[in-house]
Amino acid sequence: MSDVEDGRAVGSEPHREAPATRTTAARGASAADDVPATVYGFLGLGNMGAPMAANIAAAGFQVVGYDAAGTNDRRPEGVRGVDSVDDVARASDTVFLSVPDGRVTLAIAEQIAGLTDRRASVVIDLSTVGPVAAQGADALLAG
């Protein structure tokens, strides 16, 4: 694990605004290989979710986030706050969950599964919820 100074890894670049698109040209391919930006969403911006969201944003990706305990108070720099679980699922391609327990995971999975206009096609649960809740969330989202 790297040393941390002022909330960021020592030697890492300071925060920069995320580009409108993340292109393959940045990795040495031609500009003709430009692809639309992938947007990542975070539900849960606490002790675990906020630093993970901040790292993804600092790497130049677009990140949106929401936390039921107060998005604006917990939102890290570079993460665009939104007003609800639904807003995250509608604005992002991949949603990360970092929530306190299986009950919350299941409630969020059910809410996302019920959205007919969601953009998110991938949901990744980073929470420690146990196998029953994880399998239940998988069944809700697959159905």
Side-chain angles (χ1 to χ4, degrees):
M1 191 146 196
S2 64
D3 293 339
V4 175
E5 182 178 286
D6 296 331
R8 61 184 177 90
V10 173
S12 67
E13 296 178 26
H15 173 74
R16 61 192 180 281
E17 287 300 313
T21 61
R22 183 160 177 92
T23 67
T24 53
R27 295 186 301 271
S30 74
D33 293 328
D34 287 355
V35 294
T38 298
V39 179
Y40 296 95
F42 265 83
L43 293 168
L45 297 170
N47 292 334
M48 301 276 296
M52 288 186 275
N55 284 337
I56 292 172
F61 293 96
Q62 294 183 41
V63 181
V64 298
Y66 170 75
D67 193 297
T71 301
N72 289 332
D73 295 337
R74 294 172 166 238
R75 182 183 57 82
E77 186 176 347
V79 175
R80 181 172 56 95
V82 295
D83 295 327
S84 68
V85 170
D86 292 1
D87 288 346
V88 170
R90 288 182 181 121
S92 54
D93 301 287
T94 298
V95 175
F96 293 95
L97 307 183
S98 184
V99 297
D101 58 44
R103 181 185 54 77
V104 177
T105 292
L106 289 169
I108 290 172
E110 184 173 23
Q111 190 169 347
I112 291 172
L115 289 175
T116 58
D117 61 342
R118 75 175 187 256
R119 175 177 172 176
S121 61
V122 176
V123 177
I124 300 170
D125 189 4
L126 306 166
S127 313
T128 305
V129 299
V132 173
Q135 290 167 349
D138 179 58
L140 285 166
L141 292 163

